[in-house]
Amino acid sequence: QRGLYKSTDAGVTWTQSLFISDSTGAIDIIMDPSNPDNMMAAMWERVRRPTSSHLYGPSSGIYITINGGNSWQEISPASGLPDPVAQDVGRIGLALSPVNPDIVYALYTDGYNIISLFKSTDFGNSWIDVDPYRELQDGDNGFSWYFGQVRVHPTNPDILYVLDVAFMRSSNGGNNWTENYQMHVDHHALAFNPTNPDNLILGYDGGINISNDAGVNWGPHIQIPATQFYEIGLDANNSLAYY
């Protein structure tokens, strides 16, 4: 079944928390670390069949809860977000600033290309377009439905990262971007060292790489006998342990 599920007993049992339709699933979720009852979920209408498919639809959108997922409310396009009825809306990526959880970024795609990046400073009540010149489209190559990843630097909410065909970085809240194709293409995963947030590990189709200056420069490709890294996790009890 499509939708978002909730467990209150460490995963032993689950109940459906958010359901839109049988063609719409949850693709991203963020939680306010200072108040875990406040969450946002990105819902994506996507259907793929042997003879037909679509990667966008009117049921795509962002939903918000302030009671731990007991009830959800769709964030209206009147707040400044794209209207999925008026235009194609596909995958949506979400990220918030750990040092200021009221700051939230939403990366919208239309099923193929990046539409833009939107920023809220009041946890979703209102949004502004922070990529007015559509610089992010320079790094998506027409299949952003596969990526849709946005990340925020742990201590500086103006330093942003978008993972797509290119690796894209902004140091001014999304107003300008640099596109990096030098490491490889198709970027999927990004993790921050909790004791040094400028120390980053990036995963992509060619392996992994490390930056020690918040993603401005990257060291030599790490030689691991595997490729296509899709997720990177870290051990909260050991800042040097990554998986």
Side-chain angles (χ1 to χ4, degrees), residues 11 33 40 53 64 66 69-70 82 84 96 100 122 150 152 161 184 189 201 210 225 240 242-243:
M40 290 186 201
S53 66
I64 188 169
I66 58 173
N70 292 325
L96 58 73
N100 186 351
D122 52 16
V150 58
V152 184
Y161 310 90
H184 205 273
I201 296 182
I210 293 177
L240 299 180
Y242 289 83
Y243 300 93

Side-chain angles (χ1 to χ4, degrees), residues 43-200:
M43 305 300 288
W44 180 19
E45 182 175 329
R46 179 191 175 193
V47 174
R48 190 166 189 175
R49 298 188 175 97
T51 57
S52 65
S53 66
H54 68 266
L55 302 169
Y56 56 85
S59 64
S60 296
I62 301 175
Y63 286 75
I64 188 169
T65 179
I66 58 173
N67 57 18
N70 292 325
S71 61
W72 295 83
Q73 178 69 41
E74 185 176 9
I75 298 178
S76 169
S79 65
L81 292 174
D83 184 349
V85 176
Q87 68 180 109
D88 298 338
V89 171
R91 181 171 182 156
I92 303 168
L94 294 172
L96 58 73
S97 167
V99 294
N100 186 351
D102 283 337
I103 297 178
V104 180
Y105 291 93
L107 181 69
Y108 269 68
T109 71
D110 63 7
Y112 302 96
N113 298 103
I114 293 173
I115 296 174
S116 196
L117 183 70
F118 298 85
K119 178 182 180 180
S120 173
T121 58
D122 52 16
F123 201 73
N125 289 316
S126 60
W127 300 80
I128 59 171
D129 186 340
V130 294
D131 182 31
Y133 302 110
R134 302 296 179 260
E135 294 181 51
L136 287 171
Q137 292 184 1
D138 294 337
D140 68 22
N141 264 16
F143 60 109
S144 285
W145 63 271
Y146 196 66
F147 304 97
Q149 303 284 337
V150 58
R151 299 288 183 269
V152 184
H153 188 276
T155 60
N156 187 340
D158 285 330
I159 299 179
L160 310 175
Y161 310 90
V162 168
L163 283 64
D164 208 283
V165 176
F167 177 80
M168 293 172 277
R169 181 184 187 275
S170 173
S171 59
N172 57 9
N175 291 319
N176 300 104
W177 295 86
T178 58
E179 293 86 35
N180 190 332
Y181 287 96
Q182 295 176 356
M183 289 97 65
H184 205 273
V185 294
D186 295 3
H187 302 82
H188 304 285
L190 185 66
F192 302 87
N193 186 330
T195 62
N196 177 10
D198 287 344
N199 178 214
L200 280 59

